[in-house]
Every structure is written in structure tokens, then in C-alpha cells.
């Protein structure tokens, strides 16, 4: 597992194509706001995470903002993105705000426990 404690540690992983590719699980112990694309196996834990594009098998975060998200399962307190694509389950405790949200499995589910899902026509929900 890769553990990130500062924004600078994550920025040091950006390659020449503005990508961060980690072939392992990732735990983030700080708030991150970064203009990069992240591809990782699982985000085990994150506080506030704001990225351009995020691709992971599973994501667990407090607040998550991204242009586009592709994952198997997403769990967050608040989730805000333009387009969300997930395989089985996507849920937030408080809110999901997005342009589109779609499960790739026939019986996939997305929901919010204590708030609402708001789909907008805005191209910059991030």
C-alpha cells in the first residue's frame, strides 16, 4: 500500500503526461487538490480529494470531486463530478452532484442515504 501524507508527495508521482499511476492500494492522509489524472487499484481512505480524472477499483473518501470517475464501487460523504461510471455500487451519505451517473452492471445501484442525487447540465461540477 502506498501512503501519502502531503500534497507534495502525491505531486512527486506525476509523470510527463500529467498522470499518477500506482499499481497498488492508496491511502491519503491529507487533503489533496491536484490537476492530474490518478489511476490506482483502490483508494482505501481519503479525506478531501479533488482531481481531474480518477480511475480505481474501489474508492472510499470523505469528500470527492473530479471531472470524471470510473470505479467498481464508490463510497463517500459528498461526491461531486461531471460523469460517474461505476460497476456495482455508488453511494454517498450526504449528496451526489453530477452531470451523469451510470452503473455498468445490469443491477448496479447508486443512492444517497441522507440527502439527494442532483443531476445537472453543468459541464463543470468539479
Amino acid at each position: 500500500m502506498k501512503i501519502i501524507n502531503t500534497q507534495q508527495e502525491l505531486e512527486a508521482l506525476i509523470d510527463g503526461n500529467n498522470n499518477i499511476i500506482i499499481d497498488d492500494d492508496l491511502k491519503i492522509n491529507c487533503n489533496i487538490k491536484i490537476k492530474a489524472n490518478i489511476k490506482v487499484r483502490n483508494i482505501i481512505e481519503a479525506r478531501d480529494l479533488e482531481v481531474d480524472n480518477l480511475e480505481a477499483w474501489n474508492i472510499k473518501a470523505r469528500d470527492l470531486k473530479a471531472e470524471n470517475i470510473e470505479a467498481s464501487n464508490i463510497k463517500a460523504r459528498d461526491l461531486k463530478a461531471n460523469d460517474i461510471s461505476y460497476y456495482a455500487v455508488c453511494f454517498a451519505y450526504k449528496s451526489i452532484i453530477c452531470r451523469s451517473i451510470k452503473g455498468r452492471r445490469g443491477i448496479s445501484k447508486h443512492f444517497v442515504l441522507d440527502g439527494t442525487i442532483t443531476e445537472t447540465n453543468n459541464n463543470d461540477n468539479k
Side-chain angles (χ1 to χ4, degrees):
M1 178 184 328
K2 179 77 173 166
I3 299 174
I4 300 294
N5 293 304
T6 67
Q7 170 102 16
Q8 293 76 18
E9 288 178 19
L10 192 62
E11 288 173 353
L13 300 174
I14 299 173
D15 67 17
N17 295 318
N18 204 34
N19 296 315
I20 298 170
I21 300 172
I22 301 170
D23 189 27
D24 201 353
D25 296 341
L26 177 64
K27 180 176 181 181
I28 301 172
N29 292 326
C30 60
N31 297 342
I32 297 290
K33 184 174 183 178
I34 193 166
K35 286 289 191 187
N37 304 306
I38 298 178
K39 182 175 182 178
V40 64
R41 188 180 307 156
N42 296 295
I43 295 182
I44 301 298
E45 182 179 324
R47 294 179 186 166
D48 297 331
L49 180 59
E50 185 171 338
V51 300
D52 283 349
N53 296 292
L54 180 58
E55 182 180 337
W57 289 347
N58 298 290
I59 301 168
K60 178 182 175 188
R62 184 173 65 183
D63 296 314
L64 177 57
K65 298 176 185 175
E67 288 291 329
N68 301 294
I69 300 170
E70 182 174 336
S72 290
N73 299 297
I74 303 169
K75 174 185 174 185
R77 182 181 69 176
D78 293 299
L79 179 57
K80 190 173 187 181
N82 282 335
D83 299 308
I84 301 169
S85 172
Y86 65 95
Y87 179 71
V89 177
C90 173
F91 82 93
Y93 288 94
K94 291 191 173 189
S95 68
I96 296 176
I97 300 171
C98 59
R99 181 177 55 205
S100 70
I101 183 167
K102 181 174 55 171
R104 296 186 305 274
R105 186 173 183 221
I107 58 171
S108 54
K109 304 281 185 211
H110 55 268
F111 58 94
V112 174
L113 292 174
D114 299 322
T116 60
I117 296 175
T118 305
E119 291 190 52
T120 69
N121 290 326
N122 189 347
N123 284 333
D124 191 20
N125 281 320
K126 187 173 108 179

